[in-house]
Amino acid sequence: MAHINTAPIDRFLEQLAVRGGTDLHITSGAPPLLRVDGSIEPFDQPAYTPDEVETLVREVLTTDLWDRCVASQEVDFAFDWGDSHRIRGNAFHTRRSVAMALRLIPNKIPSFEELGVPPTVSNWCNLFQGLVLVTGPTGSGKSTTLAAMIDSINHHRRAHILTLEDPIEYVHDHNLSMVNQRELGTDCASFERGLRSALREDPDVVLVGEMRDPETISAVLTIAETGHLVFSTLHTNDAGQSIDRIVDVFSADRQNQIRIQLAGSLVGICSQRLLPRLGGGLVAAFEVLVSTYAVGNLIRDAKSGQLRNQIATGGSFGMFTLEDTLSKLVDGGLISYEEALSHSLYPKELLKPLGFEVKVA
């Protein structure tokens, strides 16, 4: 674990925590920037120069992390901050100098109820085999949902949970389960190598931080097929795009086999977004695909474009579209209709509040 010097940035992190924000950005040409309720807000101080940013970042990072940032133009890291939070960070080069983005992560793992996770998704934690995907854009709460799922298993089952993360965000103590967390660059060299040894480590549940490349995806599918429950993430917007992303990273001669493996091992896909809540804070919106027999056939037959129809008509299996959730959030007064429109890929399917007129292309 990196021994970060937080003294130069403590006052920014403290303000971020007090305001319930999520991210702190340090970059040249601007003051420190806080992300609060999804929006970027400047800290009340003069803008940094490139030299000031570099000095600040070098003060914060360890010598090893700074050397890796120089060599690779970027570096990921994580560290404990105070008694109640962890920080996930990334330092990177820009055209002006270096910059740094830090995400505030509470040590307390939220419950399913606090996150609003649908029962269909929470019930996947009771399974003993298969692949569960949590998808969405950066900053959509994927890591928090996965942490809640691992925490639920940890408190309700006697199992060996093995995680491969880059970097470790939420820290899990041993409870009913044993939880071994491996961080890339510190505990293992890559997802691929960590997964290669995973089956020799007797896991029941495996969490893979991200399915990035063919080798990692292939290993994940194999582990899910061999009697293990596997959780992972993708930066995709919906179920169909998730299936295509997985298949398309492989050469044409392997894609049919990957579809067969995916159809046989997939439990379901939870796609999510975080939206500004009316009155302050954030609220999650979900879309859920359950891998039924019909869904499996569409995956095998390379008909991912038809998966949305299965979601829209699969309410009896616990499926629903993002637009279903957005409409409920608008109807419940939790988000604005304009906010729902801005996050919807199918705005014509949103239920329009009475008296609200808007033209949808």
Side-chain angles (χ1 to χ4, degrees):
M1 184 180 298
H3 296 287
I4 300 294
N5 174 26
T6 64
I9 55 171
D10 270 340
R11 63 192 180 105
F12 308 136
L13 292 174
E14 288 166 1
Q15 185 63 219
L16 185 68
V18 166
R19 298 182 61 184
T22 55
D23 300 86
L24 166 65
H25 294 269
I26 305 292
T27 188
S28 61
L33 301 164
L34 310 180
R35 185 179 292 278
V36 180
D37 295 345
S39 297
I40 294 289
E41 300 179 9
F43 204 82
D44 186 17
Q45 75 166 51
Y48 282 124
T49 66
D51 289 343
E52 288 173 333
V53 172
E54 180 171 331
T55 298
L56 179 62
V57 173
R58 294 187 69 165
E59 287 178 350
V60 170
L61 298 185
T62 63
T63 300
D64 176 63
L65 287 173
W66 174 253
D67 290 344
R68 286 161 57 187
C69 181
V70 172
S72 303
Q73 285 75 55
E74 61 185 4
V75 64
D76 291 317
F77 54 93
F79 57 93
D80 292 323
W81 181 68
D83 296 327
S84 58
H85 292 88
R86 276 178 61 78
I87 304 290
R88 184 187 76 195
N90 179 275
F92 57 97
H93 283 72
T94 73
R95 63 184 178 87
R96 295 180 178 179
S97 66
V98 293
M100 184 167 62
L102 302 174
R103 172 153 296 176
L104 194 65
I105 302 168
N107 282 341
K108 179 182 180 298
I109 300 173
S111 67
F112 289 139
E113 291 74 19
E114 290 170 319
L115 295 175
V117 172
T120 303
V121 175
S122 61
N123 288 339
W124 292 341
C125 297
N126 300 323
L127 303 176
F128 288 84
Q129 180 175 342
L131 173 63
V132 172
L133 295 177
V134 178
T135 73
T138 300
S140 60
K142 300 185 296 296
S143 296
T144 305
T145 296
L146 283 174
M149 299 178 88
I150 295 299
D151 189 59
S152 177
I153 296 172
N154 188 21
H155 283 80
H156 293 94
R157 283 172 54 183
R158 296 192 179 277
H160 177 199
I161 302 171
L162 178 67
T163 79
L164 301 171
E165 302 174 69
D166 183 25
I168 291 173
E169 298 184 27
Y170 289 93
V171 175
H172 299 270
D173 297 323
H174 303 308
N175 201 280
L176 281 184
S177 289
M178 169 178 56
V179 186
N180 284 315
Q181 296 180 261
R182 305 189 69 193
E183 183 169 282
L184 267 65
T186 302
D187 305 309
C188 58
S190 66
F191 283 132
E192 179 192 2
R193 290 188 63 177
L195 286 167
R196 193 183 304 160
S197 65
L199 292 180
R200 296 191 294 272
E201 295 158 5
D202 187 35
D204 300 290
V205 178
V206 178
L207 181 146
V208 182
E210 187 179 347
M211 295 169 66
R212 294 178 175 173
D213 51 60
E215 294 76 19
T216 300
I217 294 172
S218 182
V220 164
L221 292 175
T222 297
I223 293 173
E225 285 181 316
T226 54
H228 304 82
L229 182 59
V230 183
F231 297 90
S232 193
T233 70
L234 287 169
H235 295 288
T236 50
N237 289 320
D238 58 27
Q241 191 180 100
S242 300
I243 300 301
D244 292 340
R245 177 73 57 83
I246 291 172
V247 173
D248 289 347
V249 301
F250 292 90
S251 58
D253 61 311
R254 292 195 62 191
Q255 289 183 358
N256 188 56
Q257 178 60 35
I258 295 301
R259 288 192 188 95
I260 292 172
Q261 285 186 277
L262 190 55
S265 61
L266 184 67
V267 169
I269 300 175
C270 172
S271 300
Q272 62 182 78
R273 305 284 190 283
L274 282 180
L275 292 79
R277 183 195 298 263
L278 292 174
L282 297 169
V283 62
F286 298 92
E287 176 171 287
V288 175
L289 168 76
V290 177
S291 187
T292 61
Y293 179 80
V295 166
N297 283 339
L298 290 177
I299 294 173
R300 285 188 198 91
D301 296 340
K303 297 179 179 179
S304 59
Q306 298 181 28
L307 289 175
R308 182 171 176 79
N309 292 333
Q310 291 294 318
I311 298 172
T313 60
S316 62
F317 297 101
M319 293 191 254
F320 49 85
T321 67
L322 180 65
E323 283 63 36
D324 291 333
T325 306
L326 292 173
S327 296
K328 289 180 180 178
L329 292 174
V330 172
D331 188 56
L334 295 176
I335 64 172
S336 69
Y337 184 60
E338 297 91 339
E339 195 67 46
L341 281 174
S342 70
H343 285 83
S344 174
L345 297 176
Y346 303 90
K348 291 183 179 180
E349 296 181 15
L350 289 173
L351 295 179
K352 186 168 61 177
L354 292 175
F356 193 100
E357 294 297 331
V358 65
K359 293 182 178 179
V360 178

